[in-house]
Amino acid sequence: MFRIFGPPGTGKTTTLLNMVEKAMESGIPPNRIGFFAFTKKAAIEARERAGRRFSLDPDVDLCHFRTFHSMAYRTLNIKEHQIMGADNFKELSQAIGYELNSSLSSEDVTAFKPKDHPILQVYNLSWAKKEPLRTTYNLSDIPFSWVEVEYVTQAYENYKTAYNLMDYHDMLQLFLDEADYLLPQFDLCFVDEAQDLSPIQWEIAEALDRKSKRMYAAGDDDQAIFVWAGADVDRFITLTGSVEILEQSYRIPSAVHNVAERISSRIKTRFPKRYKPREEIGSVQRIKDVLDVDMSQGSWLILAQANYMLFELYEPLKQAGYLFETLNGYRSINHKMAVAISGWERLRKGYQVTKETAQQIYGYMSGNGVRIKRGCKTLN
């Protein structure tokens, strides 16, 4: 298995798509190429980028650009009603007296959901790490006794058996058991974000390797953020085979790069690598409060260690008059108003706007000091 290490901003996905392009130019059909990513978002992005770049139908021509979960779901021909759903969890919760909220749904599934019930989190983590439930429980700090954990997880397993249902653990295991027979033969295969794969996902990756003429695992162990949730980054580091390191970052200026290097150099088990920053120096400033930064010009990205830290910023940012949108789709104002404000700013600067944007602008004009000709709001 060939490894590609792609530090931040080095164009890892672009490099992989370049390899896909060369493969297709050499005569390999797209349905003989597999591209598997850790998250659904990453898989969709790669599929859409490849579709645009090669003028292909992503859903038809790039059918093997998926997550492992999606591959298992599709290959096994599993139906929605066969997966544990919200109604099933509600029924089980009422029967056992524990509110087992869970975020499992269809093929977009993952063990790493912080909103799951703590007992289910321990259950999911033990399965992802392929270790005994008691071991995972002993290392956790959930406010439930072992008797409760054992009772709930046994009830959960019994419920699935009684109603012939499965969760994503069962789905992946079933797929893995039959992988050598179910997987097609690939001429070229990629596993992206390999540093985040759990032990069972690594077993699937190894099955893909056996079914592929050429196999590449791409990622960056310095960006392994799911170790707490069962990711086995050491598996990626210790793989045998050839290695390529993408050395030039197109994102990170030198000042930021120096800070990142000082931090990553303290990781004892990291794969040794160096990469070059952009020529721009950039800057690193330490502040006590986000609102101490003047964000009135340009676009800004605010990152936090945990979501709750971002939640605390919503109201202060609104009060300061900043428009913002979170990665999960929350907006400080509704979409129509955001379009109208953005369009108005473009008009003020002398740019043109689309008919739809102009309609949104007119829709928010109240007439206070503005003369609007009768009938203009329709913009026919």
Side-chain angles (χ1 to χ4, degrees):
M1 192 182 297
F2 192 98
R3 283 174 295 170
I4 299 176
F5 285 88
T10 52
K12 177 165 53 66
T13 300
T14 299
T15 298
L16 300 185
L17 292 181
N18 287 341
M19 297 172 71
V20 171
E21 183 175 23
K22 290 181 180 179
M24 290 195 294
E25 288 175 349
S26 69
I28 298 177
N31 63 359
R32 299 276 294 181
I33 299 173
F35 193 110
F36 301 97
F38 174 69
T39 63
K40 184 176 181 179
K41 181 179 179 181
I44 290 175
E45 179 185 358
R47 187 165 69 235
E48 290 181 346
R49 285 179 61 177
R52 289 192 301 268
R53 184 167 176 177
F54 309 130
S55 300
L56 299 171
D57 184 333
D59 296 326
V60 177
D61 301 310
L62 303 172
C63 55
H64 299 306
F65 278 53
R66 298 191 172 278
T67 63
F68 287 147
H69 314 99
S70 175
M71 174 175 59
Y73 186 87
R74 297 283 179 162
T75 305
L76 294 169
N77 196 29
I78 293 173
K79 307 301 181 185
E80 182 91 23
H81 67 270
Q82 296 176 273
I83 302 290
M84 283 287 294
D87 290 341
N88 300 117
F89 280 106
K90 182 177 180 181
E91 182 179 48
L92 177 59
S93 297
Q94 292 173 342
I96 65 175
Y98 288 79
E99 193 64 35
L100 299 182
N101 52 298
S102 179
S103 17
L104 293 181
S105 64
S106 183
E107 60 183 290
D108 182 22
V109 289
T110 172
F112 315 133
K113 295 289 188 180
K115 293 183 180 179
D116 287 350
H117 188 281
I119 293 180
L120 285 184
Q121 288 184 26
V122 169
Y123 172 83
N124 292 338
L125 183 57
S126 72
W127 188 94
K129 296 173 68 175
K130 301 197 75 172
E131 69 181 11
L133 180 63
R134 185 60 188 260
T135 300
T136 309
Y137 170 76
N138 288 343
L139 294 173
S140 75
D141 58 357
I142 65 172
F144 295 91
S145 68
W146 168 244
V147 172
E148 292 176 290
V149 171
E150 193 174 36
Y151 165 69
V152 169
T153 54
Q154 188 60 59
Y156 178 53
E157 292 287 352
N158 292 342
Y159 182 92
K160 288 190 296 179
T161 300
Y163 291 95
N164 197 27
L165 294 169
M166 67 178 73
D167 56 23
Y168 99 103
H169 313 309
D170 308 311
M171 182 176 67
L172 282 189
Q173 187 61 57
L174 178 60
F175 176 78
L176 182 60
D177 292 341
E178 304 294 333
D180 287 334
Y181 304 99
L182 293 175
L183 279 173
Q185 180 71 48
F186 293 110
D187 289 333
L188 181 63
C189 191
F190 300 95
V191 174
D192 200 5
E193 305 299 347
Q195 76 277 354
D196 291 328
L197 300 186
S198 66
I200 193 167
Q201 290 171 326
W202 273 115
E203 291 185 25
I204 293 176
E206 290 167 356
L208 286 168
D209 190 23
R210 293 193 296 270
K211 299 284 284 187
S212 304
K213 293 181 180 179
R214 283 180 291 162
M215 175 79 175
Y216 296 86
D220 181 16
D221 56 304
D222 291 340
Q223 299 182 65
I225 61 174
F226 284 112
V227 174
W228 61 271
D232 188 358
V233 63
D234 290 336
R235 191 88 158 253
F236 181 50
I237 295 173
T238 58
L239 280 176
T240 58
S242 301
V243 172
E244 177 184 356
I245 300 174
L246 305 180
E247 295 184 341
Q248 181 60 60
S249 177
Y250 302 96
R251 180 195 312 155
I252 310 299
S254 59
V256 177
H257 177 268
N258 292 337
V259 174
E261 284 284 273
R262 289 200 299 271
I263 295 172
S264 60
S265 65
R266 300 202 300 263
I267 304 173
K268 295 181 179 179
T269 58
R270 73 189 292 256
F271 186 86
K273 54 188 172 297
R274 291 285 182 180
Y275 67 102
K276 304 172 186 176
R278 289 164 41 190
E279 292 184 0
E280 292 84 354
I281 297 176
S283 65
V284 176
Q285 301 176 36
R286 299 186 182 278
I287 60 172
K288 293 183 177 180
D289 192 297
V290 170
L291 294 177
D292 291 339
V293 179
D294 180 7
M295 296 181 286
S296 60
Q297 300 295 321
S299 298
W300 293 76
L301 176 65
I302 301 176
L303 301 176
Q305 188 175 23
N307 278 335
Y308 76 89
M309 299 177 182
L310 294 175
F311 297 156
E312 296 172 355
L313 292 175
Y314 289 1
E315 196 57 36
L317 288 173
K318 285 183 181 179
Q319 293 296 326
Y322 291 120
L323 303 181
F324 63 87
E325 181 178 0
T326 67
L327 290 179
N328 62 7
Y330 175 83
R331 300 172 185 269
S332 56
I333 58 175
N334 65 57
H335 178 65
K336 290 182 178 180
M337 183 178 291
V339 170
I341 292 173
S342 176
W344 180 255
E345 287 300 304
R346 285 186 59 81
L347 287 175
R348 286 198 322 110
K349 295 175 181 178
Y351 298 109
Q352 294 183 345
V353 297
T354 64
K355 170 187 171 183
E356 291 74 17
T357 299
Q359 287 174 325
Q360 297 294 348
I361 294 171
Y362 273 113
Y364 283 98
M365 286 184 171
S366 64
N368 295 333
V370 180
R371 298 185 64 185
I372 305 175
K373 185 178 179 180
R374 183 182 300 275
C376 284
K377 279 193 175 185
T378 60
L379 286 179
N380 293 324

